[in-house]
Amino acid sequence: MRRWWAVAGLAVALAARAVELRVETVAAGLEHPWAVAFLPDGRYLVTERPGRLRVVQPDGRLGPPLPGVPRVDAVGQGGLLDLVLDRDFQRNRQLYFCYAEPGAEGNATALARARLSADASRLEAVQVIFRQQPRVASRLHFGCRIVQAPDGTLLLTLGERYHRMADAQRLDNHLGKIVRLHPDGSVPLDNPFVGRSDALPHIWSYGHRNPQGAVWGPDGRLWIHEHGPQGGDELNRPEPGGNHGWPVVTFGEQYGGGPIGEGTHKPGMVPPLHHWTPSIAPSGMALLTSERYGPAWRGSLFIGALRGQHLLRLELDGTRVRRQQPLLQELGERIRDVRQGPDGWLYVLTDAPNGRLLRLLAPP
């Protein structure tokens, strides 16, 4: 009997490794696409970093840029970035997007809400509901991933703008933070720093560098990943009021070599669940809840690796990364976003001047 279980366990492990993805191009001709959302009628909404939002037909035809998108600062890593539909989109047509907003003193990550018109031809009632403070003259580290929690609140990741990394440890600004707010932009009264005169009330957690992946995790909590410097990319589970350490503690080092901060751990600072050294430059993250690829992949996290030019599958044991599996290496393309579609398949966006929306299928 023990031998039978051993053989069965080996078969499951081999089956997990033997999934061969079939890549199907849904759409091409997208200029540095950053995020995709799925409309109830089978169409797609895709953001392009230069500042365009397009409807993509199921057959891959690209619609014209939708009117209503505010002016964006499409410099460096900035532009029109993440996009999510409201949990009640089918009734209220509401969506949320974040972008680099230009200003006289520099730029900042902003979060807006809008309605998609009934014919999906334009954005209506566009309203900026949050602006990162302060503005900074920088082309780097905007963060800008959005998650809507089951209670309807919005969590937004914010980078520390590179040159202002020390501000990630201060609570009087939004640099290097995750903020939490209601869909109208108001502050939830149970946010961890509400009522403190030395802290901005939107802040949920701090000590982050440049988080560009976020998902509601398998344990019913927010999970993120963030770019380290040279090494030290991190997978984190942000805690309300938690200090995640940057730049006091990190597994990375200065570009070109040299230490940063005080080491890799410090009492009172939340350590990462996992780190990547050397860096993979993570972007986008999805939790697979379907069994389209077999039961062994259900519950895995999938992360785009810009530097490694692959899609990384993380097999989890609770909050521990048990196994990592690189996928799509043969494409040789930067994976910017990854989402599970309503059909249970994974979809990815490739970050290129002629970027693509891809559907990942498993052989029948």
Side-chain angles (χ1 to χ4, degrees):
M1 181 66 69
R2 291 176 61 188
R3 181 178 301 170
W4 182 89
W5 279 112
V7 171
L10 176 61
V12 170
L14 289 173
R17 291 196 295 270
V19 175
E20 295 181 4
L21 297 176
R22 180 163 59 89
V23 179
E24 180 178 84
T25 299
V26 177
L30 295 158
E31 186 177 359
H32 293 290
W34 220 89
V36 59
F38 304 93
L39 295 175
D41 60 7
R43 293 183 291 178
Y44 313 88
L45 276 178
V46 177
T47 61
E48 294 175 296
R49 189 160 49 80
R52 295 182 291 269
L53 176 62
R54 296 184 189 273
V55 174
V56 178
Q57 299 293 332
D59 63 4
R61 287 177 294 131
L62 304 184
L66 298 186
V69 175
R71 187 166 67 94
V72 309
D73 207 8
V75 296
Q77 298 171 357
L80 180 59
L81 304 177
D82 204 16
L83 165 76
V84 299
L85 304 185
D86 186 81
R87 287 178 171 271
D88 201 16
F89 176 85
Q90 197 142 8
R91 181 186 63 82
N92 60 25
R93 308 284 293 177
Q94 188 161 287
L95 54 84
Y96 310 94
F97 60 92
C98 56
Y99 62 101
E101 183 183 53
E105 305 84 18
N107 51 32
T109 300
L111 177 64
R113 68 175 182 176
R115 283 195 314 270
L116 183 65
S117 63
D119 61 359
S121 67
R122 64 192 182 279
L123 295 183
E124 301 173 332
V126 179
Q127 178 188 5
V128 177
I129 59 174
F130 173 83
R131 289 181 168 96
Q132 185 182 36
Q133 301 175 20
R135 294 184 181 277
V136 178
S138 173
R139 301 162 57 91
L140 303 170
H141 295 192
F142 293 89
C144 206
R145 286 292 181 189
I146 310 163
V147 170
Q148 188 172 31
D151 66 1
T153 58
L154 301 170
L155 294 127
L156 172 67
T157 72
L158 299 168
E160 34 72 291
R161 311 308 314 281
Y162 186 73
H163 302 292
R164 300 286 294 269
M165 62 181 178
D167 282 335
Q169 286 295 311
R170 296 171 57 96
L171 296 174
D172 60 354
N173 65 79
H174 294 132
L175 307 183
K177 310 297 193 297
I178 293 174
V179 294
R180 176 174 175 258
L181 57 152
H182 288 301
D184 63 359
S186 61
V187 175
L189 296 181
D190 59 346
N191 272 5
F193 298 108
V194 166
R196 280 183 49 169
S197 60
D198 61 338
L200 297 180
H202 286 98
I203 296 173
W204 176 256
S205 61
Y206 65 109
H208 301 287
R209 188 172 183 265
N210 188 25
Q212 287 193 336
V215 69
W216 201 251
D219 57 352
R221 290 178 53 178
L222 179 68
W223 290 47
I224 68 164
H225 62 61
E226 51 191 290
H227 292 263
Q230 187 167 276
D233 299 342
E234 295 182 357
L235 178 68
N236 282 305
R237 189 174 63 158
E239 300 177 357
N243 180 354
H244 288 262
W246 176 256
V248 178
V249 294
T250 176
F251 286 88
E253 61 180 11
Q254 300 281 1
Y255 294 107
I260 298 175
E262 303 174 15
T264 58
H265 296 81
K266 186 173 182 177
M269 295 186 176
V270 184
L273 302 178
H274 186 81
H275 71 93
W276 292 274
T277 303
S279 294
I280 63 168
S283 183
M285 180 161 56
L287 171 68
L288 185 67
T289 59
S290 82
E291 293 195 6
R292 283 287 204 176
Y293 308 93
W297 278 27
R298 189 175 185 272
S300 296
L301 289 176
F302 291 82
I303 296 172
L306 296 168
R307 184 173 180 269
Q309 295 187 333
H310 62 266
L311 180 67
L312 189 63
R313 181 178 81 92
L314 302 184
E315 184 181 321
L316 301 175
D317 180 7
T319 60
R320 183 176 66 89
V321 176
R322 174 189 292 172
R323 185 178 295 112
Q324 302 184 70
Q325 180 182 12
L327 306 164
L328 307 184
Q329 293 166 299
E330 68 279 3
L331 294 181
E333 298 188 59
R334 287 159 51 93
I335 305 299
R336 173 58 73 182
D337 195 18
V338 52
R339 311 273 172 125
Q340 180 180 301
D343 55 9
W345 296 118
L346 291 170
Y347 291 75
V348 301
L349 289 172
T350 64
D351 184 15
N354 184 17
R356 296 189 290 164
L357 172 62
L358 305 176
R359 182 187 293 118
L360 308 183
L361 304 173

